């Protein structure tokens, strides 16, 4: 899971390829470039950035990183759900990681073309005469991509002398430019503009840009999404390959703590969420697991207030606990455990929402909660409103068929006490225009939406759909009062 990113295969071959190229490319650059002096013994020699195998491997791993970032960018733009959930941190990470690789390649290309860089090195390390220096310039023009203001003489005898000088003074620290195949190709492509680039000392500017990208990555490493570089491997070690909720209490507690910071915000859970369609209808971002996880972090720290808190509790209630998000999470986060734990805390703090609170209230308490609340904007804009279409329930003849087949009525020893009204009586409330009474009816909040009433109705009245819509209307009105709403 950590070395081969096995969990990423659940997102398909392109998802795994993007993740593996980025992962292997970045680790490779760390090993042979950033920590090259420390890993030189692996190759049986001393480290020099411009010597093989480092010169070649640096470009190879840089190319892998660039391809991985490009594939990740295509996925984020091409998959609708991932595009919807992508935030500033996601784009910033791609910019920084891609910027490190691209600026590094461009910097090497600009340096290899720069005559000023060549003159600086020869002043320090070359002790030959003018003829030998001219021959060396010829070799560096042919083998190292340098573009001088005046093209040197590249006659065979000059190249032969130059290669002797190169072997004596340069080859100990410099492999031919073609070894770094990516920057070599970039240099060849930029050669027509080489003199203009040299005049602007673009090689120095690119060196500064490369350093700034690296510095930005280091500074952001402990923050938000960037911290997953450290927390995701730790979380995977604790999970020990499990793709379901673990039973070990200690591992659960540690997993909850790490899970809040191990998310890479890759969007896989959002793309696979079984209730993701609710986000399209309601616009509540915490319906989607990746967004809910971000708000769970803020809620755990006590920073979630107002409309964001209302959205978070609503999104948590909509979750069906199907565990699909836990199964597909490449970071191995036990999302199921996080949702269950947060729901228990919501209940304890009285923030679990109407669906949890209403069934336990008395009729008077339910009416007090909902009485006089005006229509919400989402309710007004909804194109199909069964409660506003009298023909939806006017066909009810009060035959009690829906009540006879209702499992909620059957489970109650005293429906009048426990449910206030039976299903056909709720339809009658609507026929009389008593919508507020129907919103507060115990039957509305205890309905399990099994659809037996609707399937058996001889008049075709959409009883279950009406009851479900009544709950949505009540939730929307309460959310509008508390500052929530569609976003």
């Amino acid at each position: 899971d950590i070395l081969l990113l096995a969990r990423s295969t659940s997102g398909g071959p392109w998802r795994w390829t993007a993740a593996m190229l980025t992962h292997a490319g970045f680790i490779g650059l760390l090993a042979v470039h950033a920590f090259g002096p420390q890993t030189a013994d692996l190759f049986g020699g001393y480290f020099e950035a411009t010597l093989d195998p480092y010169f070649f491997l640096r470009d190879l791993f840089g190319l892998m990183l660039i391809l991985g970032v490009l594939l990740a960018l295509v996925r984020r733009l091409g998959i609708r759900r991932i595009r919807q959930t992508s935030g500033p941190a996601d784009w910033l990470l791609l910019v920084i990681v891609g910027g490190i690789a691209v600026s590094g390649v461009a910097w090497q290309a600009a340096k290899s073309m720069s005559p000023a860089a060549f003159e600086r090195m020869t002043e320090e390390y070359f002790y030959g005469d003018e003829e030998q220096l001219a021959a060396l310039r010829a070799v560096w023009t042919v083998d190292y991509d340098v573009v001088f203001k005046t093209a040197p003489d590249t006659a065979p005898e000059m190249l032969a002398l130059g290669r002797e000088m190169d072997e004596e003074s340069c080859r100990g620290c410099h492999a031919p430019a073609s070894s770094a195949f990516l920057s070599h190709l970039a240099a060849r492509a930029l050669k027509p503009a080489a003199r203009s680039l040299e005049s602007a000392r673009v090689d120095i500017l690119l060196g500064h840009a490369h350093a700034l990208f690296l510095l930005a990555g280091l500074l952001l490493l402990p923050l938000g999404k960037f911290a997953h570089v450290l927390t995701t491997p730790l979380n995977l070690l604790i999970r020990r390959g499990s793709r379901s909720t673990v039973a070990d209490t200690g591992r659960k507690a540690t997993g909850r703590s790490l899970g809040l910071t191990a998310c890479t915000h890759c969007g896989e859970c959002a793309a696979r969420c079984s209730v993701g369609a609710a986000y399209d209808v309601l616009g509540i971002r915490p319906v989607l697991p990746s967004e809910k996880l971000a708000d769970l972090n803020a809620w755990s720290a006590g920073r979630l207030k107002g409309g964001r808190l209302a959205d978070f509790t609503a999104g948590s209630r909509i979750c069906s606990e199907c565990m699909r998000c836990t199964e597909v999470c490449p970071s191995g986060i036990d999302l199921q455990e996080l949702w269950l734990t947060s729901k228990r805390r919501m209940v304890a703090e009285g923030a679990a929402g109407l669906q949890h609170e209403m069934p336990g209230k008395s009729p008077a308490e339910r009416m007090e909660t909902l009485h006089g609340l005006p229509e919400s904007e989402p309710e007004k804009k909804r194109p199909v409103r069964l409660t506003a279409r009298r023909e939806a329930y006017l066909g009810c003849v009060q035959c009690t068929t829906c009540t006879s087949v209702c499992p909620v009525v059957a489970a109650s020893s005293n429906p009048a006490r426990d449910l206030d009204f039976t299903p056909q009586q709720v339809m009658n409330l609507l026929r009389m225009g008593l919508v507020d009474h129907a919103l507060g009816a115990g039957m509305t909040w205890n309905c399990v939406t099994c659809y037996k009433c609707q399937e058996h109705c001889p008049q075709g009245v959409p009883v279950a759909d009406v009851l479900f819509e009544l709950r949505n209307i009540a939730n929307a009105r309460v959310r509008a009062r508390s500052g929530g709403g569609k976003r």
Side-chain angles (χ1 to χ4, degrees):
D1 286 342
I2 295 173
L3 298 179
L4 300 178
L5 309 182
R7 288 174 180 263
S8 294
T9 57
S10 62
W14 287 112
R15 161 75 177 115
W16 179 85
T17 302
M20 197 64 196
L21 283 171
T22 307
H23 177 72
F26 201 86
I27 296 299
L29 284 174
L30 285 177
V32 304
H33 188 46
F35 297 123
Q38 288 74 38
T39 58
D41 289 342
L42 296 174
F43 301 105
Y46 79 101
F47 171 77
E48 193 66 55
T50 48
L51 276 179
D52 286 332
Y54 314 101
F55 211 30
F56 167 75
L57 289 176
R58 184 187 61 193
D59 271 34
L60 176 63
F61 290 127
L63 177 61
M64 292 169 65
L65 184 59
I66 291 170
L67 291 176
V69 169
L70 286 175
L71 280 175
L73 182 63
V74 169
R75 291 187 79 256
R76 284 208 173 271
L77 292 172
I79 300 176
R80 183 178 65 91
R81 184 69 76 211
I82 296 178
R83 184 174 66 251
Q84 286 175 329
T85 57
S86 293
D90 302 307
W91 303 117
L92 182 60
L93 183 60
L94 289 176
V95 167
I96 289 178
V97 174
I100 290 172
V102 172
S103 64
V105 171
W107 184 28
Q108 175 57 38
K111 281 196 301 180
S112 68
M113 293 189 298
S114 172
F118 172 82
E119 300 296 344
R120 188 174 61 250
M121 289 188 293
T122 54
E123 283 177 12
E124 187 170 353
Y125 299 109
F126 186 71
Y127 302 100
D129 56 29
E130 282 301 318
E131 182 184 1
Q132 291 170 330
L133 182 57
L136 190 61
R137 285 195 183 98
V139 170
W140 276 68
T141 297
V142 173
D143 293 347
Y144 295 93
D145 295 334
V146 180
V147 179
F148 294 96
K149 288 183 179 179
T150 303
D153 180 8
T154 55
E157 60 273 13
M158 288 293 285
L159 289 175
L161 175 60
R163 289 201 168 96
E164 287 181 24
M165 297 299 99
D166 184 51
E167 187 69 36
E168 182 180 314
S169 301
C170 306
R171 282 296 178 96
C173 295
H174 293 274
S178 56
S179 295
F181 62 94
L182 197 57
S183 55
H184 175 60
L185 289 173
R188 289 293 178 90
L190 292 171
K191 267 195 175 181
R195 290 181 176 84
S196 299
L197 296 176
E198 176 65 13
S199 298
R201 292 315 311 267
V202 170
D203 59 319
I204 294 175
L205 295 176
L206 286 170
H208 292 328
H210 189 59
L212 287 173
F213 277 121
L214 289 167
L215 182 61
L218 287 171
L219 290 175
L220 292 169
L221 187 61
L223 306 175
K225 173 171 178 164
F226 291 80
H228 80 260
V229 174
L230 304 173
T231 54
T232 297
L234 288 174
N235 188 62
L236 288 167
L237 284 172
I238 289 170
R239 294 283 284 154
R240 300 175 193 170
S242 174
R243 289 179 179 267
S244 59
T245 299
V246 298
D248 186 286
T249 305
R251 283 171 64 197
K252 274 185 178 181
T254 309
R256 281 197 294 270
S257 177
L258 274 175
L260 293 174
T261 56
C263 177
T264 65
H265 207 251
C266 65
E268 286 301 315
C269 56
R272 310 293 186 82
C273 180
S274 59
V275 293
Y279 168 70
D280 296 326
V281 175
L282 302 174
I284 303 172
R285 289 184 71 86
V287 167
L288 304 173
S290 56
E291 313 313 294
K292 188 156 61 219
L293 186 63
D295 279 353
L296 178 59
N297 212 341
W299 181 61
S300 300
R303 299 195 306 269
L304 212 59
K305 308 291 182 184
R308 282 189 66 194
L309 178 59
D311 284 354
F312 173 67
T313 55
S316 297
R317 289 193 301 274
I318 292 170
C319 172
S320 63
E321 300 173 16
C322 68
M323 216 173 84
R324 190 180 296 172
C325 53
T326 299
E327 292 171 353
V328 303
C329 178
S331 300
I333 303 172
D334 192 348
L335 294 161
Q336 185 80 357
E337 170 62 17
L338 287 172
W339 305 155
L340 293 173
T341 303
S342 64
K343 283 184 177 182
R344 287 194 292 268
R345 180 180 159 188
M346 284 179 199
V347 172
E349 295 181 0
L354 295 182
Q355 188 54 50
H356 178 79
E357 298 166 3
M358 283 298 197
K361 289 180 178 288
S362 68
E365 290 171 330
R366 284 195 290 270
M367 287 299 297
E368 183 180 352
T369 300
L370 300 172
H371 181 69
L373 291 180
E375 288 187 338
S376 64
E377 287 303 313
E379 184 183 349
K380 292 177 184 176
K381 294 176 181 177
R382 189 170 179 175
V384 178
R385 290 173 56 196
L386 296 174
T387 52
R389 290 173 50 218
R390 295 178 63 81
E391 61 269 22
Y393 43 79
L394 278 179
C396 177
V397 293
Q398 298 291 296
C399 66
T400 73
T401 299
C402 54
T403 298
S404 300
V405 298
C406 178
V408 177
V409 174
S412 172
S413 58
N414 189 340
R417 180 196 64 206
D418 300 332
L419 305 174
D420 309 329
F421 301 98
T422 55
Q424 98 276 356
Q425 289 174 327
V426 174
M427 298 303 106
N428 204 33
L429 289 173
L430 293 174
R431 290 200 308 178
M432 293 186 290
L434 302 175
V435 177
D436 280 359
H437 288 74
L439 290 173
M443 183 67 235
T444 300
W445 295 97
N446 282 280
C447 171
V448 294
T449 59
C450 66
Y451 277 87
K452 284 190 173 182
C453 53
Q454 197 155 313
E455 292 168 357
H456 287 79
C457 179
Q459 295 293 98
V461 176
V463 184
D465 288 339
V466 169
L467 293 174
F468 195 73
E469 186 181 86
L470 286 170
R471 284 210 298 263
N472 284 338
I473 289 171
N475 272 296
R477 291 184 183 183
V478 171
R479 286 182 67 246
R481 178 179 62 185
S482 64
K486 183 165 181 171
R487 274 179 290 282

